[in-house]
Protein backbone atom coordinates (compact mmCIF):
# COMPACT_ATOMS: atom_id res chain seq x y z
CA UNK A 1 0.00 0.00 0.00
CA UNK A 2 1.23 3.53 -0.69
CA UNK A 3 1.76 5.92 2.18
CA UNK A 4 -1.18 8.28 1.67
CA UNK A 5 -2.35 9.90 4.86
CA UNK A 6 -5.18 7.92 6.49
CA UNK A 7 -5.15 5.31 3.74
CA UNK A 8 -5.13 2.27 6.04
CA UNK A 9 -7.53 3.91 8.48
CA UNK A 10 -10.05 4.61 5.71
CA UNK A 11 -9.60 1.10 4.32
CA UNK A 12 -10.34 -0.41 7.76
CA UNK A 13 -13.47 1.70 8.21
CA UNK A 14 -14.72 0.84 4.72
CA UNK A 15 -14.04 -2.85 5.29
CA UNK A 16 -15.96 -2.76 8.58
CA UNK A 17 -18.86 -1.04 6.84
CA UNK A 18 -18.89 -3.64 4.10
CA UNK A 19 -18.34 -6.79 6.20
CA UNK A 20 -19.75 -5.84 9.61
CA UNK A 21 -16.68 -7.32 11.32
CA UNK A 22 -13.18 -7.75 9.95
CA UNK A 23 -10.45 -10.25 10.70
CA UNK A 24 -6.81 -9.59 11.52
CA UNK A 25 -4.10 -12.21 11.73
CA UNK A 26 -1.50 -11.36 14.36
CA UNK A 27 2.05 -12.50 13.70
CA UNK A 28 4.57 -12.39 16.54
CA UNK A 29 8.12 -12.06 15.12
CA UNK A 30 9.49 -13.80 18.20
CA UNK A 31 7.44 -16.92 17.51
CA UNK A 32 7.22 -16.94 13.73
CA UNK A 33 10.02 -17.00 11.15
CA UNK A 34 9.90 -14.65 8.16
CA UNK A 35 9.10 -17.50 5.77
CA UNK A 36 6.30 -18.83 8.00
CA UNK A 37 5.00 -15.27 8.34
CA UNK A 38 4.70 -14.80 4.60
CA UNK A 39 2.92 -18.14 4.25
CA UNK A 40 0.44 -17.18 7.00
CA UNK A 41 -0.13 -13.72 5.48
CA UNK A 42 -0.79 -15.08 1.97
CA UNK A 43 -3.17 -17.72 3.29
CA UNK A 44 -4.97 -15.13 5.42
CA UNK A 45 -5.38 -12.80 2.46
CA UNK A 46 -6.86 -15.61 0.37
CA UNK A 47 -9.20 -16.60 3.20
CA UNK A 48 -10.60 -13.04 3.43
CA UNK A 49 -8.68 -11.47 6.31
CA UNK A 50 -8.57 -7.67 6.11
CA UNK A 51 -5.07 -6.94 7.43
CA UNK A 52 -1.99 -8.48 9.00
CA UNK A 53 -0.79 -7.29 12.39
CA UNK A 54 2.84 -7.76 13.41
CA UNK A 55 4.03 -7.51 16.99
CA UNK A 56 4.60 -9.18 20.34
CA UNK A 57 5.07 -8.43 24.03
CA UNK A 58 8.49 -9.95 24.60
CA UNK A 59 11.78 -10.49 22.80
CA UNK A 60 10.94 -8.61 19.62
CA UNK A 61 13.71 -6.48 18.12
CA UNK A 62 13.40 -3.97 15.29
CA UNK A 63 15.48 -6.29 13.10
CA UNK A 64 13.10 -9.21 13.72
CA UNK A 65 10.13 -6.98 12.97
CA UNK A 66 11.76 -5.70 9.77
CA UNK A 67 12.52 -9.24 8.57
CA UNK A 68 8.97 -10.45 9.14
CA UNK A 69 7.35 -7.40 7.55
CA UNK A 70 9.73 -7.51 4.57
CA UNK A 71 9.07 -11.21 4.00
CA UNK A 72 5.31 -10.55 3.98
CA UNK A 73 5.70 -7.63 1.59
CA UNK A 74 8.06 -9.53 -0.74
CA UNK A 75 5.66 -12.45 -1.00
CA UNK A 76 3.20 -10.09 -2.69
CA UNK A 77 0.58 -9.80 0.04
CA UNK A 78 -1.75 -6.95 -0.91
CA UNK A 79 -3.60 -6.37 2.36
CA UNK A 80 -1.95 -3.88 4.73
CA UNK A 81 0.59 -4.76 7.38
CA UNK A 82 -0.11 -2.91 10.61
CA UNK A 83 2.41 -2.90 13.44
CA UNK A 84 1.14 -3.85 16.89
CA UNK A 85 4.18 -2.91 18.95
CA UNK A 86 4.90 -4.20 22.42
CA UNK A 87 7.48 -1.40 22.75
CA UNK A 88 9.56 0.97 20.68
CA UNK A 89 11.60 -1.89 19.20
CA UNK A 90 8.48 -3.08 17.37
CA UNK A 91 8.56 -0.30 14.77
CA UNK A 92 9.46 -1.19 11.17
CA UNK A 93 9.75 1.26 8.29
CA UNK A 94 8.47 -1.42 5.89
CA UNK A 95 4.95 -1.61 7.37
CA UNK A 96 1.93 0.29 6.05
CA UNK A 97 0.71 1.60 9.38
CA UNK A 98 1.11 1.33 13.12
CA UNK A 99 -1.46 0.95 15.85
CA UNK A 100 -0.36 3.94 17.88
CA UNK A 101 -1.53 2.43 21.10
CA UNK A 102 -1.75 3.59 24.67
CA UNK A 103 -2.46 1.16 27.51
CA UNK A 104 -5.15 3.15 29.28
CA UNK A 105 -5.55 0.86 32.29
CA UNK A 106 -1.91 0.63 33.27
CA UNK A 107 -0.44 1.99 36.47
CA UNK A 108 2.69 3.04 34.56
CA UNK A 109 2.91 6.44 32.90
CA UNK A 110 5.52 5.01 30.52
CA UNK A 111 2.92 2.71 28.93
CA UNK A 112 0.40 5.53 28.57
CA UNK A 113 2.63 8.19 27.05
CA UNK A 114 6.35 7.50 27.65
CA UNK A 115 6.99 4.89 24.95
CA UNK A 116 4.64 6.81 22.65
CA UNK A 117 6.69 9.98 23.08
CA UNK A 118 9.88 8.06 22.23
CA UNK A 119 8.29 6.17 19.36
CA UNK A 120 6.45 9.11 17.75
CA UNK A 121 9.61 10.57 16.32
CA UNK A 122 10.55 7.21 14.76
CA UNK A 123 7.06 6.81 13.30
CA UNK A 124 7.39 10.26 11.70
CA UNK A 125 10.86 9.53 10.38
CA UNK A 126 9.66 6.30 8.77
CA UNK A 127 6.54 7.96 7.34
CA UNK A 128 4.25 5.37 8.93
CA UNK A 129 0.54 6.00 9.14
CA UNK A 130 -0.34 6.14 12.84
CA UNK A 131 -3.80 4.95 13.88
CA UNK A 132 -4.61 5.74 17.49
CA UNK A 133 -5.74 2.81 19.58
CA UNK A 134 -6.98 2.76 23.16
CA UNK A 135 -5.65 -0.55 24.46
CA UNK A 136 -7.57 -2.06 27.36
CA UNK A 137 -6.41 -5.18 29.12
CA UNK A 138 -9.00 -7.45 30.67
CA UNK A 139 -9.34 -10.75 32.49
CA UNK A 140 -6.04 -12.32 33.39
CA UNK A 141 -4.27 -9.94 31.01
CA UNK A 142 -1.62 -12.40 29.87
CA UNK A 143 1.93 -11.35 29.03
CA UNK A 144 0.76 -8.01 27.60
CA UNK A 145 -0.90 -7.17 30.90
CA UNK A 146 2.14 -8.18 32.92
CA UNK A 147 4.77 -6.34 30.91
CA UNK A 148 2.67 -3.18 30.73
CA UNK A 149 2.02 -2.97 34.49
CA UNK A 150 -1.71 -3.12 33.86
CA UNK A 151 -4.56 -3.44 36.26
CA UNK A 152 -6.67 -5.80 34.14
CA UNK A 153 -10.38 -5.05 34.10
CA UNK A 154 -12.32 -7.98 35.61
CA UNK A 155 -14.57 -9.72 33.07
CA UNK A 156 -17.52 -9.35 35.43
CA UNK A 157 -17.24 -5.55 35.39
CA UNK A 158 -18.11 -4.60 31.81
CA UNK A 159 -19.10 -1.11 32.97
CA UNK A 160 -15.43 -0.36 33.72
CA UNK A 161 -14.36 -1.32 30.20
CA UNK A 162 -17.24 0.74 28.76
CA UNK A 163 -16.25 3.77 30.85
CA UNK A 164 -12.64 3.53 29.64
CA UNK A 165 -13.81 3.21 26.04
CA UNK A 166 -16.06 6.24 26.34
CA UNK A 167 -13.20 8.25 27.83
CA UNK A 168 -11.00 7.07 24.93
CA UNK A 169 -13.60 8.29 22.47
CA UNK A 170 -13.80 11.70 24.12
CA UNK A 171 -9.99 11.84 24.04
CA UNK A 172 -10.00 11.31 20.28
CA UNK A 173 -8.83 7.69 19.94
CA UNK A 174 -9.94 6.12 16.66
CA UNK A 175 -10.23 2.49 17.83
CA UNK A 176 -10.51 0.63 21.10
CA UNK A 177 -8.93 -2.80 21.62
CA UNK A 178 -10.25 -5.25 24.20
CA UNK A 179 -7.35 -7.55 25.06
CA UNK A 180 -8.02 -10.77 26.94
CA UNK A 181 -4.33 -11.73 26.78
CA UNK A 182 -2.72 -13.90 24.15
CA UNK A 183 -3.68 -17.54 24.61
CA UNK A 184 -5.94 -16.65 27.55
CA UNK A 185 -9.68 -16.60 28.09
CA UNK A 186 -11.55 -14.56 25.50
CA UNK A 187 -13.30 -11.31 26.40
CA UNK A 188 -16.93 -12.24 27.18
CA UNK A 189 -19.68 -11.12 24.77
CA UNK A 190 -21.38 -9.07 27.52
CA UNK A 191 -18.26 -6.88 27.79
CA UNK A 192 -18.04 -6.36 24.02
CA UNK A 193 -21.76 -5.55 23.83
CA UNK A 194 -21.63 -2.91 26.57
CA UNK A 195 -18.41 -1.30 25.31
CA UNK A 196 -19.93 -1.01 21.83
CA UNK A 197 -23.25 0.31 23.13
CA UNK A 198 -21.77 2.96 25.40
CA UNK A 199 -18.81 4.11 23.31
CA UNK A 200 -20.12 3.59 19.76
CA UNK A 201 -16.46 3.30 18.75
CA UNK A 202 -14.90 0.75 16.42
CA UNK A 203 -14.07 -2.12 18.78
CA UNK A 204 -11.37 -4.70 18.13
CA UNK A 205 -11.27 -7.85 20.25
CA UNK A 206 -8.39 -10.25 20.73
CA UNK A 207 -6.98 -12.85 23.05
CA UNK A 208 -7.98 -16.51 23.23
CA UNK A 209 -10.20 -16.57 20.13
CA UNK A 210 -9.43 -20.06 18.87
CA UNK A 211 -12.61 -21.50 17.41
CA UNK A 212 -15.42 -20.73 15.00
CA UNK A 213 -17.79 -20.45 17.99
CA UNK A 214 -15.63 -17.93 19.86
CA UNK A 215 -15.25 -15.80 16.71
CA UNK A 216 -19.02 -16.04 16.24
CA UNK A 217 -19.67 -14.95 19.84
CA UNK A 218 -17.45 -11.87 19.54
CA UNK A 219 -18.83 -10.83 16.14
CA UNK A 220 -22.41 -11.34 17.26
CA UNK A 221 -21.80 -9.23 20.37
CA UNK A 222 -20.78 -6.31 18.16
CA UNK A 223 -17.00 -6.56 17.63
CA UNK A 224 -15.89 -4.60 14.57
CA UNK A 225 -12.64 -6.51 14.33
CA UNK A 226 -11.33 -9.82 15.63
CA UNK A 227 -7.66 -10.66 16.08
CA UNK A 228 -6.30 -14.18 16.14
CA UNK A 229 -2.67 -15.01 16.80
CA UNK A 230 -1.99 -18.20 18.78
CA UNK A 231 -4.49 -20.43 16.99
CA UNK A 232 -2.91 -19.55 13.64
CA UNK A 233 0.66 -19.96 14.94
CA UNK A 234 -0.17 -23.38 16.36
CA UNK A 235 -2.27 -24.65 13.50
CA UNK A 236 -1.22 -27.57 11.33
CA UNK A 237 -3.79 -26.58 8.74
CA UNK A 238 -3.84 -22.85 8.11
CA UNK A 239 -6.52 -22.86 5.41
CA UNK A 240 -9.01 -24.74 7.51
CA UNK A 241 -8.59 -22.74 10.74
CA UNK A 242 -8.78 -19.44 8.86
CA UNK A 243 -11.89 -20.62 7.05
CA UNK A 244 -13.49 -21.58 10.38
CA UNK A 245 -12.71 -18.24 12.01
CA UNK A 246 -13.91 -16.26 8.98
CA UNK A 247 -17.13 -18.31 8.82
CA UNK A 248 -17.71 -17.74 12.54
CA UNK A 249 -17.33 -14.00 12.04
CA UNK A 250 -19.68 -13.90 9.07
CA UNK A 251 -22.43 -15.85 10.77
CA UNK A 252 -22.01 -13.78 13.95
CA UNK A 253 -22.55 -10.61 11.92
CA UNK A 254 -25.57 -12.14 10.22
CA UNK A 255 -27.19 -13.10 13.50
CA UNK A 256 -26.33 -9.75 15.03
CA UNK A 257 -28.15 -7.94 12.23
CA UNK A 258 -31.08 -10.35 12.43
CA UNK A 259 -31.62 -9.61 16.08
CA UNK A 260 -31.38 -5.83 15.91
C1 LIG B 1 -2.82 -10.84 21.57
O1 LIG B 1 -5.10 -10.35 21.25
C2 LIG B 1 -3.99 -10.90 20.65
O2 LIG B 1 -2.40 -9.54 21.74
C3 LIG B 1 -4.21 -12.28 20.09
O3 LIG B 1 -4.39 -13.25 21.08
O4 LIG B 1 -2.79 -15.06 20.53
O5 LIG B 1 -4.79 -15.56 21.91
O6 LIG B 1 -5.03 -15.07 19.49
P1 LIG B 1 -4.25 -14.82 20.74
Amino acid sequence: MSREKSKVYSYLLESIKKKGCIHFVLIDPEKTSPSEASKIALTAENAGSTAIMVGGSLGVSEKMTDEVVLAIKRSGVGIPVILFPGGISGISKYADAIWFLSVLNTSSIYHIIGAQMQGAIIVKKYGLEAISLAYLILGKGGAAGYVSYSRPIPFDHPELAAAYALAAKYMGFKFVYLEGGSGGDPVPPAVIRLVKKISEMPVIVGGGIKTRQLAYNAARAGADGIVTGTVIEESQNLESILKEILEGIQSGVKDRTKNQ
Side-chain angles (χ1 to χ4, degrees):
M1 280 205 150
S2 65
R3 289 277 178 76
E4 271 167 50
K5 221 174 154 197
S6 301
K7 181 157 181 166
V8 177
Y9 175 58
S10 307
Y11 162 78
L12 294 178
L13 290 188
E14 278 160 28
S15 305
I16 291 169
K17 211 166 145 195
K18 200 162 88 191
K19 299 181 177 181
C21 179
I22 59 178
H23 178 247
F24 301 86
V25 163
L26 173 63
I27 297 175
D28 183 340
E30 205 271 324
K31 296 179 180 150
T32 311
S33 71
S35 66
E36 282 163 348
S38 53
K39 192 173 154 219
I40 292 172
L42 278 169
T43 316
E45 178 170 37
N46 288 333
S49 300
T50 293
I52 309 295
M53 287 166 47
V54 174
S57 300
L58 202 60
V60 179
S61 67
E62 182 163 334
K63 184 166 178 279
M64 288 156 83
T65 311
D66 276 348
E67 284 170 358
V68 159
V69 176
L70 266 179
I72 296 170
K73 287 286 168 194
R74 285 186 180 142
S75 64
V77 169
I79 55 176
V81 176
I82 309 175
L83 300 169
F84 186 48
I88 55 169
S89 63
I91 311 176
S92 166
K93 59 178 156 230
Y94 304 109
D96 297 294
I98 180 167
W99 287 121
F100 203 81
L101 66 89
S102 179
V103 187
L104 295 191
N105 61 320
T106 170
S107 51
S108 140
I109 293 167
Y110 180 78
H111 293 91
I112 297 177
I113 190 60
Q116 294 74 3
M117 174 272 289
Q118 292 179 321
I121 211 77
I122 307 172
V123 169
K124 186 174 169 69
K125 192 164 88 187
Y126 290 171
L128 287 167
E129 177 183 336
I131 308 171
S132 60
L133 178 75
Y135 193 51
L136 301 180
I137 297 181
L138 296 99
K140 292 185 185 143
Y146 186 83
V147 301
S148 64
Y149 297 85
S150 288
R151 294 185 309 145
I153 300 165
F155 281 159
D156 59 353
H157 281 281
E159 75 285 2
L160 296 177
Y164 268 114
L166 187 59
K169 179 186 178 163
Y170 292 158
M171 291 166 88
F173 284 89
K174 297 281 200 289
F175 281 82
V176 63
Y177 191 110
L178 304 178
E179 174 67 85
S182 184
D185 297 327
V187 176
V191 177
I192 301 169
R193 207 170 289 120
L194 193 67
V195 167
K196 188 69 201 168
K197 185 175 161 209
I198 302 290
S199 73
E200 297 176 306
M201 278 183 85
V203 176
I204 301 174
V205 182
I209 299 176
K210 289 185 165 188
T211 61
R212 184 189 195 282
Q213 182 66 44
L214 292 171
Y216 170 90
N217 294 349
R220 182 157 188 241
D224 298 281
I226 288 175
V227 179
T228 58
T230 306
V231 74
I232 311 289
E233 275 160 19
E234 290 177 353
S235 166
Q236 300 304 314
N237 187 338
L238 279 178
E239 280 89 357
S240 101
I241 186 65
L242 280 160
K243 188 166 170 268
E244 258 186 56
I245 300 283
L246 268 293
E247 277 174 7
I249 293 176
Q250 279 153 15
S251 67
V253 169
K254 214 158 93 199
D255 290 356
R256 180 210 293 175
T257 322
K258 231 184 348 197
N259 291 330
Q260 266 169 0

